[in-house]
Amino acid sequence: MSAVDVIHAAEVEATTRYPATTVAVSGGLTARPVSPDGASLWLIAADLAAGTELRWGTEHGDEAVYVRSGSLAVDGRVCPADGAMVVEAGVAASVIAESDTSILHMGPADSAPPTDGLRGPAESDGRSVRIVGPGGVWATVDESQRTRFFSDASAPTNRLWLLASDRPQYFESSAHSHSQDELIHVLRGEIRVGRRVVGAGDTLWVAADRRYKLYSGDDGVHFVNYRRDASVMTSPNYDGPLLEAGESTNMTWVNDTL
């Protein structure tokens, strides 16, 4: 597979069978896998009918669900629209769509939690289902962006990395690379990488250490970015590799946990 790839949702046939092997489903749904075959990460875009239940056993790695619209009931708590939940590795869990609900569900191809990353292995004791509201745990919010970490791989019990960034106007990144494979799913607007165009509903795959540059359209872009483990970014904007986490990038501690 290539180091950079675009998965166009319109080219993927929707299915009424849930594509993730780590969950069992009761209820109605349509879903599309929008990540490359054979990649180290996978991502599913799904529309769940009200009352649909997703059930995890214990054979899975750290997984995340971002709620695009609607809400999910989890152990007496609610994960609202624009919030996310992290189902930590090996935790049995059940979530129910309170109404018609659209989600992004993402996880690693290898269910074994990472042990050799920048932060070392996560603790196994105390793992659970973590719910983060729309404010995120760390955030930068100003006229140019609304960027939030739902998980920055620094929690004691997981190494999952999940960020959402809403840019209301034209956005251009530096030419840069990350030390982890990543999936970037576009919720609104579009991004361009060279001649590749990633529109709403599409996903960009970028392999670790691949140098690239992003451009948005004139009206900006809103995307979700997922990685399996902590990473550093190498960019001419910094003197050396920068650990990509809330505190190290001077974000504000919000801790909108539910």
Side-chain angles (χ1 to χ4, degrees):
M1 59 185 298
S2 61
V4 179
D5 197 4
V6 179
I7 299 83
H8 296 285
E11 299 174 1
V12 181
E13 185 176 356
T15 177
T16 57
R17 298 184 64 182
Y18 203 69
T21 60
T22 55
V23 299
V25 179
S26 300
L29 64 92
T30 57
R32 286 182 173 88
V34 279
S35 51
D37 292 339
S40 63
L41 310 172
W42 51 262
L43 190 151
I44 294 164
D47 296 316
L48 310 178
T52 296
E53 181 183 18
L54 306 182
R55 298 184 305 278
W56 282 259
T58 57
E59 298 298 321
H60 62 85
D62 295 327
E63 297 186 12
V65 177
Y66 172 83
V67 180
R68 295 182 293 172
S69 64
S71 59
L72 297 173
V74 187
D75 296 330
R77 298 169 291 165
V78 174
C79 185
D82 202 27
M85 52 178 281
V86 177
V87 183
E88 295 182 325
V91 173
S94 172
V95 304
I96 297 175
E98 292 195 311
S99 59
D100 290 349
T101 298
S102 295
I103 63 170
L104 300 177
H105 179 192
M106 57 216 85
D110 183 356
S111 63
T115 59
D116 57 354
L118 295 169
R119 296 186 182 275
E123 298 173 9
S124 57
D125 291 342
R127 289 178 180 168
S128 63
V129 178
R130 300 183 179 274
I131 299 177
V132 182
V137 289
W138 293 90
T140 296
V141 180
D142 55 34
E143 292 182 355
S144 68
Q145 64 177 305
R146 179 173 175 252
T147 299
R148 297 149 296 141
F149 268 119
F150 296 105
S151 180
D152 69 351
S154 66
T157 49
N158 76 75
R159 291 293 173 263
L160 187 136
W161 194 102
L162 181 64
L163 174 143
S165 188
D166 192 351
R167 306 276 182 157
Q169 53 203 7
Y170 176 78
F171 164 71
E172 179 179 329
S173 77
S174 63
H176 65 285
S177 65
H178 307 280
S179 62
Q180 286 285 322
D181 296 344
E182 63 180 329
L183 294 172
I184 301 174
H185 184 86
V186 175
L187 300 169
R188 176 192 59 80
E190 68 177 32
I191 51 178
R192 286 167 282 138
V193 182
R195 296 183 179 180
R196 300 174 177 89
V197 178
V198 190
D202 300 338
T203 303
L204 173 68
W205 154 266
V206 184
D209 301 318
R210 172 63 183 234
R211 189 176 176 87
Y212 68 102
K213 187 171 185 176
L214 293 178
Y215 305 83
S216 78
D218 291 340
D219 296 328
V221 65
H222 186 189
F223 61 83
V224 171
N225 190 329
Y226 161 64
R227 302 170 200 166
R228 180 174 181 249
D229 199 356
S231 66
V232 295
M233 177 169 64
T234 301
S235 164
N237 292 342
Y238 307 109
D239 293 335
L242 175 70
L243 177 64
E244 298 178 273
E247 184 174 12
S248 58
T249 55
N250 298 316
M251 299 176 82
T252 299
W253 174 244
V254 177
N255 197 27
D256 184 14
T257 55
L258 305 174

